Amino acid sequence: MAKPKLWTKEFLSISFASFFIFLIFYMLTVTLPIYITDELHGSGKNIGIIIPIFVVSAIIFRPFSGIWLDTIGQKKTLFIGVVIFLMGAFLYFPAKSMALMLIVRVIHGIGFGMATTATGAIAAHIIPKERRGEGMGYYATFMNLAMVIGPFLGLTIIGASGYETLFVFSAIFSVLAVVCTLMLKLPQPNRHKAVEDSMKKTIRLSDFFEGKTLPIALVAFALSFVYSGVLSFISVYARELNLVTAASFFFVIYAAFLLISRPFTGRWFDAYGENFVIYPCIILFGLGVWVLSQVSSSFMLLLAGALIGMGFGTLVSCFQTIAVHSSPASRKGIATATFFVVFDSGFAAGSFVLGIIATYTGYSAIFTIGSIIVLFSLGLYYLLHGRKAKGIMNNIESSI
């Protein structure tokens, strides 16, 4: 029997929309601290407020976005999100003070939270059930590519042309995200029923969060807590070790090995169950973080990038697939929002906590601690999801 088609116009449109949104996110995450210091004459304290406020704004609006996805519709929610995101991109031009920059980051973060919640839910919705693991893996690859291209492109632009050009490119990519959104054709929800249902009941916490998604989201929290240390401190750690040149290729190697493994891991997820992929990937991620703590050469730094790419890069798409699949069909938008609220919170908490620890212990120590947390996450995954998950034997038995 032929497999259902994966690479449809809708799948490509939502994947490229996600790519452009995350491309801007990574471009600005790397370059704005330099802009705040050089152009706005800000301090480290200013950077510590203006950069995280973007993620905090996104976290706050994700639960509302989940409700809107299941009521007013997926495309409309995404369109509103990308338009707000586009507005935020244009507002960087006149933001010449700390106060204005803070307001811009809040607006931009709201658009990011709405748009990325919507893209994840739409991708899970349009991918054929039989190819969900494979499809979500490819969808996540677009985000991974943005993570590699964004920092490189951002630093290249400000080095060659300056910050105004950076903001021009940010606006252009935002427009492209809007164009990709307009190309989507998605079914509309039953609005009358949605309004009727909302009038019949009082607002409850369950309207904003999907409880069935929380177990796998908590595992993702622990792992994103560790990965935030890799993303935030790899450049300064490499500078300490005189490996700055190698560090510039860290995420290139990360993406290369993720792309090499993606076709296999996605198919294995669908064929043999999540445990067959997730347990080895957690081990690879932990091993990569431990190698990072022991780095003494360029080869070891790049080896860590390869292991982390195959491990953490694969886990993100697997966890998102599980989060959506574990929820009722009518609550997939809320499930996506719940997953990313917890996942993003791990990043925010990790950057803050590990940054404090690094002040007293050094960067090598936080990666050692991180590898221990990843090892602990093996047991956490087993307790919260793995022991109940469908494994290879279940698939073999069901096929007999």
Side-chain angles (χ1 to χ4, degrees), residues 22 26 142-151 227 231 251 254-255:
F22 276 96
Y26 286 112
F142 282 82
M143 291 187 287
N144 296 134
L145 288 173
M147 183 186 69
V148 176
I149 298 171
Y227 184 70
L231 194 61
F251 289 109
Y254 175 109

Side-chain angles (χ1 to χ4, degrees), residues 351-366:
S351 298
F352 179 74
V353 174
L354 294 175
I356 293 174
I357 295 174
T359 303
Y360 297 99
T361 64
Y363 298 109
S364 177
I366 66 168

Side-chain angles (χ1 to χ4, degrees), residues 10-40:
E10 277 64 40
F11 180 71
L12 287 169
S13 296
I14 201 64
S15 296
F16 274 108
S18 176
F19 170 78
F20 289 123
I21 292 166
F22 276 96
L23 183 67
I24 296 164
F25 169 73
Y26 286 112
M27 278 175 55
L28 296 179
T29 298
V30 172
T31 55
L32 276 183
I34 308 172
Y35 177 73
I36 291 168
T37 303
D38 294 351
E39 300 295 319
L40 303 184

